[in-house]
Amino acid sequence: MLPKLLKNDYHEATKLSFLSVQIDPNYVDAATQPAPFKRYPKFFRRFALDLENPTHSFLHFTSAITTQKMYREGAYSLRVNPSAGALYPTEIYVQIRGINGLLDGIYHLEVETKSLTLIYELIDDGLEGYLVDSRLIKGYIFLVSCVYFRSSWKYKNRSLRYCFLDSGHHLGAIEASAYVQDYTAQILFDFDHLALNDDLGFENKEFVTAAIVVGNVKEKPVRRLRSPIPFVCGTDYFEPNRFVEAGYKQTLLPTNHQQEISQPNFQFEKAKFLQSIQKRRSARRFHQSQITQEEFFAVWESLNQPIATQSDDAIAIYAVIQSVAGIEPGIYRGKESLKTGNFREKMGYLCVNQAIARDSAVLFFFVSEFQNYRVALQLAGLLGQRVYLSATYLGLGCSGIGAFFDDETQAFLEAKGSILYAIAIG
Ligand SMILES: Cc1cc2nc3c(=O)[nH]c(=O)nc-3n(C[C@H](O)[C@H](O)[C@H](O)COP(=O)(O)O)c2cc1C
């Protein structure tokens, strides 16, 4: 039995330091990696996605495989969403109601085969029944979930962070695909997670982290699923991690959400933006090259667009400017200069001796005095997805950085809040 931990304890207990990395360098035998794709049994009906159809294309680009990379251990399918260690703990389910050509039901998005698996047909019931507002939604309700063992297999307790950051990236990928189709989306973090996990048949092996609604609200209330969906394991084998399970449960307490919902107003050219979704990759090195001020501010602009959610966990953005034409190198909080200087070596060191942090043009840090760890990390991941896509759109490289010496980084930035995530562009 784990002692009951408070919200900040999960952050505290998963910090990296110079010493912790020496003691546990995180080596795993690649041959034991759990399966990265969930498959429902063959008897569930599948519908192939036809990319000529805008609805199918919308669903496909929330999660698509966009390239294959060969490693010694075999081929890796890389996707529109990045993932810490390319372990892809996230899955997508989508309830579809009142959309031409698709049966009303709950589908699992089977990324590997580019298809939708119908796992539940709707009658008078649906996912609305688990939301705070249970009125019928005509359109789509996406659920992002985590098959956490895919990540805890390697990252142990710190995988709690990566599950939430990866979920946030996936939310960002859905936001992006919706933008291409001119759809507006609303992100929900508060709903009856436990009942939903039970009814979706997740046992303790998978959990829902967020929902996104793309559709119109009707007056009629909807009841919860009339029968549970059978359990299907998202991996080929499973080892529990009670810390991750307890860390998730701790975030299910209700949080404040007074904020009015504002929609982001991106100014991308849609066809080029869709290409950026398809082309997005993590840069594997930078060359200390300079970027222009226009490029920096274009990324900044997309980062600072509102996030369409009522949740009000605030993320402060710190930018370590290393090489932007006309901007003095140094640390900035928002647009306020905190200290000037060349911190390349320090940044490389703080990000666990990663050259991409040292050699980038800008290193962003997302910082928060969060109320809810799950929500704050997902917001950071979503912002990370925006940085990736706007950088790709501009022809720049980008990489998420989830590994940093927590306390030393926080002290160096003189930040009050916790460091949730870093992301480099160049
Ligand atoms: C939460 C998160 C943390 C990451 N941390 C690092 C990191 O510390 N160092 C690194 O080189 N890449 C990092 N990455 C990038 C992943 O390695 C990359 O997304 C994955 O290999 C898939 O490749 P792709 O992004 O090109 O599709 C991170 C990505 C995410 C989403």
Side-chain angles (χ1 to χ4, degrees):
M1 211 16 208
L2 278 170
K4 209 166 160 45
L5 299 180
L6 301 171
K7 63 173 186 177
N8 277 317
D9 296 343
Y10 288 94
H11 187 73
E12 199 58 42
T14 53
K15 284 182 171 172
L16 294 180
S17 67
F18 181 74
L19 194 64
S20 76
V21 171
Q22 309 299 312
I23 295 169
D24 180 8
N26 241 349
Y27 294 132
V28 278
D29 175 358
T32 66
Q33 185 186 342
F37 294 109
K38 179 170 180 174
R39 289 186 196 101
Y40 277 82
K42 284 204 189 99
F43 60 79
F44 284 99
R45 274 201 281 170
R46 281 170 173 72
F47 301 88
L49 291 174
D50 163 14
L51 300 193
E52 299 301 315
N53 174 326
T55 300
H56 291 206
S57 169
F58 163 51
L59 297 170
H60 175 69
F61 285 113
T62 63
S63 311
I65 293 171
T66 45
T67 196
Q68 300 274 346
K69 264 196 180 168
M70 289 306 293
Y71 292 98
R72 232 178 342 162
E73 313 82 56
Y76 265 71
S77 300
L78 305 186
R79 314 187 191 184
V80 293
N81 50 310
S83 167
L87 299 176
Y88 304 103
T90 52
E91 293 287 337
I92 296 295
Y93 301 83
V94 55
Q95 174 176 297
I96 298 175
R97 195 195 281 285
I99 301 292
N100 259 346
L102 288 164
L103 284 173
D104 287 359
I106 301 173
Y107 297 81
H108 171 242
L109 189 50
E110 202 171 271
V111 176
E112 193 187 13
T113 59
K114 253 199 233 176
S115 54
L116 288 174
T117 308
L118 179 63
I119 57 172
Y120 190 90
E121 279 191 59
L122 304 179
I123 302 180
D124 59 342
D125 50 353
L127 297 179
E128 294 90 337
Y130 304 82
L131 307 182
V132 176
D133 178 351
S134 64
R135 286 176 300 164
L136 186 144
I137 309 263
K138 181 169 181 285
Y140 310 87
I141 303 176
F142 290 88
L143 298 178
V144 181
S145 75
C146 282
V147 177
Y148 76 74
F149 177 52
R150 291 186 194 142
S151 184
S152 65
W153 163 73
K154 176 169 182 178
Y155 294 118
K156 313 284 184 313
N157 292 353
R158 196 169 165 99
S159 68
L160 180 66
R161 297 182 182 208
Y162 298 150
C163 280
F164 294 154
L165 286 170
D166 275 14
S167 293
H169 273 286
H170 223 142
L171 291 174
I174 298 171
E175 174 186 77
S177 192
Y179 171 74
V180 171
Q181 303 292 338
D182 284 326
Y183 296 153
T184 53
Q186 185 187 338
I187 302 172
L188 307 176
F189 294 109
D190 280 333
F191 42 85
D192 192 344
H193 286 74
L194 291 179
L196 192 52
N197 291 335
D198 268 356
D199 289 354
L200 292 170
F202 287 172
E203 297 196 342
N204 60 330
K205 298 173 183 62
E206 187 172 347
F207 47 70
V208 178
T209 47
I212 293 201
V213 173
V214 177
N216 302 314
V217 182
K218 306 284 173 194
E219 274 316 309
K220 191 176 143 201
V222 173
R223 70 168 172 122
R224 294 181 176 196
L225 304 191
R226 58 195 188 277
S227 58
I229 295 171
F231 165 69
V232 172
C233 193
T235 47
D236 42 354
Y237 76 109
F238 176 75
E239 287 173 13
N241 179 315
R242 301 297 179 213
F243 176 92
V244 171
E245 290 176 15
Y248 167 72
K249 286 209 180 102
Q250 194 280 328
T251 69
L252 303 183
L253 303 169
T255 49
N256 292 343
H257 46 74
Q258 300 97 354
Q259 191 182 287
E260 281 294 303
I261 295 173
S262 312
Q263 287 293 333
N265 180 19
F266 301 116
Q267 299 295 331
F268 299 109
E269 198 266 296
K270 297 276 165 88
K272 186 172 166 199
F273 190 70
L274 178 58
Q275 286 169 10
S276 309
I277 292 176
Q278 292 168 278
K279 281 198 317 215
R280 183 216 63 78
R281 285 275 75 79
S282 294
R284 295 298 75 186
R285 60 180 301 196
F286 291 117
H287 303 279
Q288 303 203 356
S289 332
Q290 194 174 68
I291 65 168
T292 66
Q293 231 178 90
E294 290 72 27
E295 288 168 334
F296 171 70
F297 283 116
V299 174
W300 183 253
E301 183 56 31
S302 121
L303 254 179
N304 281 284
Q305 288 297 320
I307 299 177
T309 178
Q310 285 189 310
S311 170
D312 60 2
D313 256 321
I315 307 291
I317 301 168
Y318 287 64
V320 181
I321 303 283
Q322 314 210 90
S323 191
V324 179
I327 305 184
E328 189 166 13
I331 303 177
Y332 294 76
R333 183 182 193 277
K335 289 192 174 168
E336 177 198 356
S337 167
L338 299 180
K339 46 184 162 185
T340 54
N342 176 340
F343 301 120
R344 283 193 184 280
E345 292 306 322
K346 186 76 182 174
M347 288 304 126
Y349 163 74
L350 288 175
C351 294
V352 192
N353 297 311
Q354 298 196 67
I356 45 168
R358 182 193 62 204
D359 298 337
S360 62
V362 181
L363 189 56
F364 293 104
F365 287 94
F366 301 144
V367 176
S368 180
E369 294 178 69
F370 53 85
Q371 287 185 68
N372 185 313
Y373 201 37
R374 172 178 50 87
V375 173
L377 281 163
Q378 287 187 90
L379 294 176
L382 181 144
L383 292 178
Q385 190 71 7
R386 288 185 180 177
V387 176
Y388 264 107
L389 291 176
S390 52
T392 309
Y393 186 87
L394 296 163
L396 301 176
C398 177
S399 181
I401 298 181
F404 41 82
F405 299 136
D406 290 85
D407 286 340
E408 282 192 75
T409 307
Q410 187 174 346
F412 192 73
L413 297 179
E414 295 172 21
K416 253 177 84 194
S418 305
I419 315 296
L420 300 181
Y421 193 26
I423 192 155
I425 59 169

